[in-house]
């Protein structure tokens, strides 16, 4: 690997209960909405900060809601897992307080929720968690029938997640490409990027496909991705299906920009 200087879902007869988590979205189809859905907080060690998000009841009935904090993690394949608080090294649950933790909100009403971060003096880098706003009042009942003339009801509970990223003013932003792999099914290039620093950050980049004469014949975009400290992430990029590569030998050169002074790069020789 090289471093390049930057210029540089069982339907049941009777009752079915579902819990919908609305994450990363703009609250479409929601009985209540939450804004904003993400916080990126910069903080000094030992500093205390309070931030606010708002819940609006967009329906015609009142809601009783509970508010609580969980940890979450993104695995190598980019799949999310939600965990009990304080289970991970980078959890902010131990020093983040919510107010209120239960809320009744009338139809058409908006109310604030505040969370206070008391950042420890002995920590640096990024920490994070997800604040869930979850319905605990009686859910909406949707009565339905099936082809056997039996009826059932679907109860829908709503849950919305607010992601919180807390970034100390002390930390490091570092990363590297650990590996690159070519696959024929699906056809594409996988880049394995590891965050070796202490900050959460976003990266993006490109893959240049070179022929056996070192001419660039395709350039593929590596879409923006989020990278977590001390964790690897697989970023898969499809090869151009409209301009298929003929049989031959090629080199893939992956370049990632993650907001540091340097770009990171790696290359792979492959054959079709």
């Amino acid at each position: 690997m090289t471093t390049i200087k930057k210029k540089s879902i069982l339907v049941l007869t009777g009752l079915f209960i579902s819990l919908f988590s609305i994450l990363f979205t703009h609250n479409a189809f929601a009985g209540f909405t939450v804004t904003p859905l993400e916080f990126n907080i910069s903080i000094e060690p030992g500093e205390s900060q309070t931030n606010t998000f708002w819940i609006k009841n967009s329906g015609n009935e009142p809601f009783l809601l509970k508010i609580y904090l969980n940890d979450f993690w993104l695995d190598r394949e980019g799949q999310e897992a939600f965990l009990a608080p304080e289970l991970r090294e980078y959890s902010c649950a131990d020093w983040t307080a919510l107010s209120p933790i239960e809320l009744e909100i009338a139809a058409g009403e908006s109310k604030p929720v505040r969370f206070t971060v008391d950042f420890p003096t002995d920590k640096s880098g990024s920490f994070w968690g997800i604040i869930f706003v979850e319905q605990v009042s009686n859910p909406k009942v949707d009565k339905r029938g099936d082809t056997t003339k039996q009826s059932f009801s679907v109860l829908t509970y709503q849950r919305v997640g607010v992601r919180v990223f807390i970034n100390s003013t002390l930390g490091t932003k570092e990363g590297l490409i650990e590996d690159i792999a070519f696959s024929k099914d699906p056809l594409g290039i996988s880049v394995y990027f590891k965050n070796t620093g202490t900050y959460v950050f976003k990266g993006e980049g490109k893959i240049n496909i070179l022929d056996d004469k070192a001419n660039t014949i395709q350039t593929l975009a590596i879409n923006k991705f989020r990278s977590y400290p001390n964790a690897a992430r697989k970023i898969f990029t499809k090869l151009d299906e409209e301009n298929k590569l003929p049989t031959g030998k090629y080199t893939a050169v992956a370049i990632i920009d993650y907001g540091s002074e340097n770009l990171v790069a790696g290359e792979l020789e492959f054959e079709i």
Side-chain angles (χ1 to χ4, degrees):
M1 302 304 167
T2 59
T3 300
I4 297 178
K5 275 291 181 182
K6 188 176 183 181
K7 171 189 169 185
S8 332
I9 183 176
L10 205 60
V11 172
L12 303 177
T13 301
L15 178 67
F16 173 69
I17 301 176
S18 63
L19 172 63
F20 288 94
S21 294
I22 301 176
L23 305 170
F24 287 124
T25 73
H26 48 72
N27 295 300
F29 314 112
F32 62 87
T33 59
V34 179
T35 53
L37 290 174
E38 183 173 306
F39 287 85
N40 286 276
I41 300 167
S42 179
I43 195 168
E44 297 277 355
E47 184 184 355
S48 179
Q49 276 193 36
T50 298
N51 288 267
T52 303
F53 60 87
W54 287 82
I55 304 171
K56 181 179 180 179
N57 185 344
S58 304
N60 299 318
E61 301 291 336
F63 279 108
L64 179 62
L65 308 171
K66 65 178 179 180
I67 299 108
Y68 58 96
L69 184 64
N70 267 17
D71 290 345
F72 71 93
W73 183 248
L74 209 66
D75 68 15
R76 188 181 180 94
E77 302 292 326
Q79 298 299 311
E80 279 195 325
F82 300 110
L83 310 167
E86 302 177 51
L87 288 184
R88 299 203 63 86
E89 179 183 356
Y90 297 100
S91 174
C92 64
D94 194 41
W95 31 271
T96 301
L98 305 173
S99 179
I101 59 172
E102 192 172 83
L103 186 65
E104 187 170 0
I105 185 166
E109 186 178 23
S110 295
K111 285 188 176 182
V113 175
R114 296 175 177 86
F115 63 97
T116 299
V117 175
D118 291 308
F119 199 87
T121 58
D122 60 344
K123 293 188 180 296
S124 63
S126 295
F127 298 81
W128 59 89
I130 184 165
I131 302 173
F132 279 119
V133 180
E134 184 175 323
Q135 178 183 353
V136 294
S137 56
N138 291 333
K140 178 182 178 181
V141 178
D142 181 10
K143 293 184 178 180
R144 303 180 183 182
D146 62 20
T147 57
T148 64
K149 298 182 180 180
Q150 295 176 316
S151 65
F152 60 90
S153 298
V154 177
L155 307 185
T156 302
Y157 287 87
Q158 183 185 340
R159 184 172 75 167
V160 176
V162 178
R163 285 172 175 75
V164 178
F165 297 94
I166 303 166
N167 306 300
S168 167
T169 53
L170 301 177
T172 59
K173 183 184 285 188
E174 298 173 349
L176 55 84
I177 294 176
E178 288 189 312
D179 197 10
I180 306 177
F182 166 72
S183 61
K184 293 184 178 180
D185 186 18
L187 184 65
I189 305 292
S190 294
V191 177
Y192 296 86
F193 178 85
K194 184 171 183 179
N195 182 335
T196 58
T198 59
Y199 279 135
V200 175
F201 54 75
K202 291 182 179 181
E204 60 186 336
K206 64 181 179 179
I207 301 173
N208 291 326
I209 307 298
L210 283 59
D211 63 16
D212 58 359
K213 295 180 181 179
N215 297 312
T216 299
I217 55 175
Q218 283 188 19
T219 297
L220 313 172
I222 297 177
N223 295 328
K224 187 170 289 187
F225 62 94
R226 180 171 270 148
S227 179
Y228 292 81
N230 198 33
R233 177 76 185 274
K234 172 186 174 182
I235 308 106
F236 176 76
T237 303
K238 287 184 178 181
L239 286 175
D240 190 339
E241 295 182 354
E242 292 185 1
N243 300 296
K244 291 185 178 180
L245 297 172
T247 301
K249 295 182 179 181
Y250 302 91
T251 300
V253 179
I255 304 170
I256 291 180
D257 182 350
Y258 59 94
S260 182
E261 292 183 356
N262 298 317
L263 301 176
V264 292
E267 64 179 51
L268 169 75
E269 294 182 354
F270 67 99
E271 189 172 347
I272 293 180

